[in-house]
Amino acid sequence: VYSVLLLGSAPLLLLSLMPQGLWWLPGGPKTVRRLRAVIVVLALFTTLLGLEGRVIFYCFGQYIKLSAPWNWVAVTVALYGSAVVGLAHYFGLLGGVVDITVAGSCLLLCTTAGALAAGVSFAWLPAPLVAACGLALFFDEAGGLREYIVFVLGAFLTGVWFVSSQFWFLDIAISGLHLHTVCKLALAALLPALMVPGLMFSGAPRSALGGLLILQAGLVAFLEEQLFMPSQAEFPGETMYPSWLVLTTTAVGIMAARRLTAAGHIGSADSWVLHCIYASKAAML
């Protein structure tokens, strides 16, 4: 059931978010905007339901530490509460119809629920809460870089907690690369992903954005090669790093490079390098 919901709603959500994805809707511009808003909301919540049942609990259930039924309650609050805040931002309602204080409080509640579901210890609990506060202040201050740095710091520390608590204790090597090194490279790739959106909204130079994206793309390509190739050569039946994930990161990377180039956030040379790096990952398949 969850797979059917996910497969049926995710493509519709993608189409509705594309600029001309719903060109076939009938009616005038005002009617089309209303229909598009309804489709986005319904498709998003249906996708989240399928994602929760088919991906989060089915594939990553071992990372959820709360017992039933509180695990479902916490994950549902985190997912749907974040979706409500995201929709308010997408439709331009933050600061107007939806007060930014209410949205920030909702974001804090969702972050707390998600952190408790993931088993974040009380010593590390301030990290995700600081990230939520920084993100809320960033929207409240209309793109303040200082507030976004607070979000980056909290989110990065949350990533450090996750890696250290789930993988750091393992003494294994993958394709001659120790797991500690893999974790460090993954955290290094996380940092540009967290920094780029804030720098983009703050009007940072195109060269800085392009350099960070190229650095991240190189780290992602290297990590995927180390994780995907050994599992195919030595453990054909294992899915340590599935091929569909390689295809997903390739498609997302190329699409993001094109969108950022069209919006003028990165230069054509940086875009060409990003296209080359992400397209080259397909050779692993």
Side-chain angles (χ1 to χ4, degrees):
V1 176
Y2 292 117
S3 299
V4 173
L5 291 175
L6 193 59
L7 290 174
S9 59
L12 183 60
L13 177 62
L14 181 61
L15 282 176
S16 61
L17 293 176
M18 295 173 64
Q20 302 297 328
L22 300 177
W23 57 268
W24 41 268
L25 287 176
K30 189 174 182 180
T31 303
V32 169
R33 283 197 301 268
R34 290 180 176 177
L35 289 174
R36 184 169 177 265
V38 172
I39 292 174
V40 167
V41 172
L42 293 178
L44 176 61
F45 282 100
T46 307
T47 300
L48 288 178
L49 180 59
L51 187 71
E52 185 176 9
R54 185 63 181 85
V55 177
I56 295 178
F57 281 97
Y58 183 79
C59 299
F60 302 102
Q62 68 269 24
Y63 298 115
I64 300 175
K65 305 304 180 182
L66 291 179
S67 58
W70 300 112
N71 53 353
W72 280 91
V73 172
V75 173
T76 302
V77 169
L79 282 179
Y80 286 89
S82 302
V84 169
V85 176
L87 286 173
H89 172 65
Y90 178 76
F91 291 118
L93 302 178
L94 287 181
V97 178
V98 179
D99 188 82
I100 193 67
T101 305
V102 176
S105 302
C106 181
L107 199 58
L108 276 173
L109 176 63
C110 300
T111 304
T112 304
L116 292 177
V120 178
S121 61
F122 284 102
W124 284 88
L125 189 59
L129 297 182
V130 165
C133 289
L135 190 61
L137 290 173
F138 174 75
F139 288 115
D140 189 27
E141 297 295 331
L145 185 58
R146 181 178 59 184
E147 288 75 19
Y148 192 81
I149 291 176
V150 174
F151 160 74
V152 171
L153 179 63
F156 183 75
L157 289 177
T158 304
V160 170
W161 166 82
F162 179 78
V163 167
S164 62
S165 63
Q166 301 294 337
F167 305 108
W168 196 259
F169 61 91
L170 298 173
D171 187 15
I172 59 175
I174 302 172
S175 185
L177 201 64
H178 199 278
L179 186 60
H180 288 181
T181 304
V182 175
C183 292
K184 292 175 183 177
L185 291 174
L187 290 174
L190 173 65
L191 195 55
L194 294 172
M195 293 175 61
V196 164
L199 292 176
M200 183 177 64
F201 285 111
S202 300
R206 297 197 306 173
S207 57
L209 294 176
L212 285 174
L213 289 171
I214 290 173
L215 174 63
Q216 183 198 31
L219 289 172
V220 169
F222 178 76
L223 281 171
E224 287 189 339
E225 183 182 11
Q226 300 301 314
L227 296 175
F228 177 76
M229 298 303 290
S231 63
Q232 299 299 309
E234 302 174 16
F235 310 102
E238 299 291 333
T239 56
M240 180 176 63
Y241 198 90
S243 57
W244 64 264
L245 197 51
V246 177
L247 290 173
T248 300
T249 56
T250 300
V252 170
I254 292 176
M255 183 174 62
R258 291 186 176 182
R259 294 291 296 271
L260 290 173
T261 306
H265 294 301
I266 60 175
S268 57
D270 295 330
S271 177
W272 179 80
V273 175
L274 288 171
H275 276 78
C276 291
I277 294 175
Y278 281 111
S280 66
K281 297 198 299 92
M284 291 188 293
L285 304 177

